[in-house]
Amino acid sequence: MTADELAELIKKLVAEGVTVLLFVLGPGGEPVAVTPGGEPAPPVSSGRDGPRERPPLDLDPTPPGTGTTEPAPSATEPAPSGTGTTEPPSGTAPPPPGTTTRDGAAAVTTEGTTAAAKLGWGDPVRTDDFTDGASGWNVYDGPGHAGNGRRTPDAVSVADGILTITGDADGNTAGMAWTEGSQQYGRWEGRVKAPASDPSYNALLLLWPTAENFPEGGEIDFMEMMDPSRQKTNIFVHYGADNSQIDGAVDVDATEWHNWAVEWTPERITAYLDGEPWFETTDQAVQPPGPMHLCIQLDWFPKGGSVQESVMHVDWVRQYAPG
């Protein structure tokens, strides 16, 4: 039968619905499979060790060339042992060397630049970072500044090492005195911030005469935030029987944490902001005559109209011996 006759027979059988299997022999008489596309596949090699099976079909749905995908490392998997370091969370810059951080009620704070460290004041004789609440302080309970409103312990709170004094719409606020460590001359420093507030509330760090003989005993308000936007801070040094005073001001965003310090010597009174002096007087007439102590106050100066609640936050305070 010729090839043309065979082709005609196959067409006739296919037309009648008959399945036709076609076997093709290779040059050596071996069977050759025919692929669906009509091209003969390579012959199956028997080899010296007998017939070799074709490899099984790859049923892995992974696209060719991708390889095996390893699971991503667990985010909570500990670092390899022996590293000795803890990496900060992604996107978080570590604090500068030598600083300390704490998750406070108002913010995460850092030590910042202190006058004590910059000027070598040594170790403090007293310190409070408010991890034990307001213990060690004389918290006022009575009439407010100049008899306005009320100073009440209820306006003092401590959370996560941050002291907060809150002044409400009725003039209920607070103040507190560190009387136990009173001294004549020395240095005091505190880290404070105060959000924008009602115009009637002033946030203060001050030295007050332990003899309670104001105005003759003097007063050093080395941080008085009068500006309700908290973009300017004042100092007032009170002196004399007639309550005379000298003052100064510094422009600073006091809604952020800053370190406020005062150094009182027999020759001068100097105020510092983040370790830098911004006010000084050598006038002997303004020198307080006796020992003083640190006070923290949010004072109410009523100005009428509706009053918004206002606060001040204190991270820590420290007292140093005279130089």
Side-chain angles (χ1 to χ4, degrees), residues 35 40 53-54 58 65 86-87 99 106 158 175 225 268 295:
T35 63
E53 296 181 352
R54 290 190 180 94
D58 184 7
T86 301
E87 293 295 330
T99 65
V158 177
M225 299 178 185
R268 59 185 173 82
C295 299

Side-chain angles (χ1 to χ4, degrees), residues 27-263:
E30 73 277 9
V32 178
V34 178
T35 63
E39 295 294 333
V44 177
S45 173
S46 62
R48 193 164 44 173
D49 299 326
R52 182 181 303 160
E53 296 181 352
R54 290 190 180 94
L57 295 177
D58 184 7
L59 301 179
D60 189 344
T62 305
T66 60
T68 303
T69 303
E70 295 292 334
S74 170
T76 58
E77 187 173 339
S81 60
T83 61
T85 60
T86 301
E87 293 295 330
S90 176
T92 302
T99 65
T100 58
T101 61
R102 183 192 314 127
D103 290 326
V108 176
T109 70
T110 60
E111 176 72 14
T113 303
T114 66
K118 191 166 186 178
L119 301 173
W121 289 350
D123 294 330
V125 295
R126 299 188 74 202
T127 184
D128 196 348
D129 58 8
F130 302 105
T131 55
D132 294 325
S135 61
W137 293 81
N138 174 22
V139 181
Y140 311 156
D141 190 358
H145 178 266
N148 296 310
R150 183 170 182 81
R151 288 167 169 157
T152 169
D154 294 339
V156 176
S157 63
V158 177
D160 299 319
I162 302 294
L163 170 78
T164 299
I165 298 179
T166 303
D168 67 16
D170 298 320
N172 295 303
T173 184
M176 48 203 293
W178 219 12
T179 54
E180 184 178 337
S182 297
Q183 62 187 43
Q184 187 167 15
Y185 312 123
R187 297 99 166 218
W188 291 259
E189 190 162 22
R191 187 161 180 80
V192 181
K193 79 171 187 175
S197 73
D198 189 88
S200 61
Y201 276 109
N202 291 6
L204 296 98
L205 292 180
L206 63 99
L207 300 183
W208 183 259
T210 302
E212 294 290 342
N213 58 341
F214 179 84
E216 293 87 348
E219 177 183 352
I220 304 175
D221 306 318
F222 63 94
M223 183 208 80
E224 182 161 3
M225 299 178 185
M226 305 171 63
D227 173 20
S229 68
R230 303 312 194 208
Q231 299 301 303
K232 176 183 287 188
T233 299
N234 295 80
I235 183 172
F236 294 93
V237 180
H238 300 253
Y239 65 97
D242 60 352
N243 191 21
S244 298
Q245 51 192 281
I246 60 174
D247 64 271
V250 60
D251 293 325
V252 63
D253 181 6
T255 67
E256 302 292 336
W257 290 106
H258 292 286
N259 299 330
W260 301 90
V262 62
E263 183 175 20

